[in-house]
Amino acid sequence: MDASRWVVWVLVAGVALVLWNVLWVVAVRRWYRPRAELPQVLRARCEDGWELVIHARRAAVRRFEEPVLLCHGLAANRFTFDFEPPYSVAHYLAEAGFDCFSVEWRGTGHSRRPPRGRRYTDFTIDDHILQDGPALLELALKETGAKCAFWLGHSLGGLVGYGVAQGPHGEKLAGLLALGAPVHFKSEPFLRTLISMGVRAAWPARFRQEWMSASLAPFLGYINLPLSDLLVNPKHIPPRIQRQVYANMMSSMSRKVLLQFQDWIEHDMFRSFDRTKDWRAGIAKLQLPLLIMGGSSDRLATPANVESQFALATAPDRTLHIFGTDHGDKMNYGHGDLIFGTGAPSEVYPVIREWLERHASALPAAITAPAPNPVEEEPRQPERSVP
């Protein structure tokens, strides 16, 4: 067979492999899609023209004025908090009487860039703080008629909350709940190597790791992926939930966001992309109520990291809670275990709800939610207190 035929066969085989993988991923996502009532889909426009998708989970009987903003972390999406019960913070808090709004940051899910101008991947964490966070907050306040809102962020979502709280919209936050959100970044060889690999894999624009995650999702529970214990402890999450999470919750990572993380890890900083704004230093100036939470086995937001974060705070109303067996819990929680661990719905979620209920404004009379608007079908892709 001559060289030209070999080239044709290789091209045909390559196209066939790609088509097979596309069909495989579509089938996997459909099979493992969360079986829950779809939330209301809203859209918030940022000042720079980006359009964010917000998923509203309304309380059947609204008991509290302030809504709760649910903010996912890096390489994730709204399924972090709005998943299939019982592993769904949004469902849990809605049942308690809170209206919940789960964001999908720019570059995630079905957020849309401006018609002209910046590329879909041309953004940093600064944009989440200065553009996305305020747009999410204003939409939730407009939808509920409330004056303030609570911010609950996991990992990067908590860091974005710290940044928003230090800006002009901070006065509209009734409280900040940071779950597994590291504000200190140790420059260990392992982390430096890992982030360097991520930056290379994201060239020239982003790392499409959600495709790989969905492709491998059906095998989880039978095998463990390399480095998976950084995100979750596979022993603490039911196999089917692992498969659903990897099939639905993973998202792309912008190269510029990874470059910003690389700066943070190499210099142990939590600062803006241009290195002029130190958000970690600003934590000491925050006076809004804070609930700082972490897991005893979290390798990204370690207990020491979370405790040092708590030590930075000077707010008169601040609470630290580390989840783990040393504090009476059934398991030692890792990074994702705080939401998807078998004990999370009975140990983590109640701490969040009880804190919110203590700080929320009870409505004079409970409000029954009106009939929801039509929902868009989505295309598939020890506790220490200071009184």
Side-chain angles (χ1 to χ4, degrees), residues 42-44 54 101 134-144:
L42 304 172
R43 300 187 183 276
I54 314 295
F101 295 81
L136 164 67
L137 176 58
E138 292 296 339
L139 179 137
L141 297 183
K142 179 180 178 182
E143 286 287 320
T144 59

Side-chain angles (χ1 to χ4, degrees), residues 12-75:
V12 170
V15 171
L17 182 61
V18 169
L19 290 176
W20 178 86
N21 185 240
V22 169
L23 293 174
W24 171 259
V25 168
V26 170
V28 166
R29 287 178 171 170
R30 181 168 182 79
W31 181 259
Y32 289 112
R33 68 187 185 280
R35 267 70 173 182
E37 181 182 352
L38 292 174
Q40 180 187 12
V41 176
L42 304 172
R43 300 187 183 276
R45 187 167 295 278
C46 304
E47 288 187 357
D48 63 356
W50 272 78
E51 186 180 72
L52 306 181
V53 173
I54 314 295
H55 301 264
R57 180 75 59 183
R58 308 284 189 167
V61 179
R62 183 180 166 199
R63 297 173 51 221
F64 302 99
E65 178 181 341
E66 297 86 358
V68 182
L69 313 181
L70 303 175
C71 305
H72 65 80
L74 180 66

Side-chain angles (χ1 to χ4, degrees), residues 126 271-279:
D126 301 16
R271 61 187 178 186
S272 59
F273 191 78
D274 62 7
R275 305 186 179 186
T276 61
K277 176 68 174 179
D278 186 345
W279 285 305

Side-chain angles (χ1 to χ4, degrees), residues 177-308:
L177 302 86
L179 182 63
V183 301
H184 295 277
F185 299 86
K186 290 186 177 181
S187 182
E188 298 176 350
F190 172 72
L191 283 179
R192 291 202 305 270
T193 300
L194 189 63
I195 193 67
S196 179
M197 291 172 58
V199 169
R200 291 192 182 95
W203 187 89
R206 58 175 165 166
F207 180 25
R208 296 294 302 269
Q209 59 95 35
E210 79 278 11
W211 202 260
M212 178 180 64
S213 297
S215 297
L216 297 176
F219 306 103
L220 300 182
Y222 306 104
I223 61 170
N224 293 328
L225 297 180
L227 306 178
S228 61
D229 60 333
L230 278 175
L231 301 177
V232 298
N233 186 333
K235 296 179 181 179
H236 293 165
I237 300 180
R240 179 173 175 82
I241 299 301
Q242 291 184 49
R243 295 191 278 272
Q244 285 184 291
V245 166
Y246 275 83
N248 295 280
M249 201 191 79
M250 302 302 176
S251 297
S252 299
M253 293 180 282
S254 159
R255 188 169 189 270
K256 292 183 73 171
V257 167
L258 290 173
L259 285 170
Q260 192 165 4
F261 265 108
Q262 187 175 47
D263 169 54
W264 293 358
I265 291 171
E266 290 182 351
H267 300 97
D268 185 21
M269 296 296 295
F270 169 33
R271 61 187 178 186
S272 59
F273 191 78
D274 62 7
R275 305 186 179 186
T276 61
K277 176 68 174 179
D278 186 345
W279 285 305
R280 186 166 65 198
I283 293 175
K285 301 177 183 178
L286 297 179
Q287 295 302 297
L288 77 167
L290 298 173
L291 174 58
I292 299 171
M293 299 169 283
S296 59
S297 291
D298 193 333
R299 295 181 60 189
L300 295 178
T302 64
N305 191 320
V306 174
E307 288 170 358
S308 62

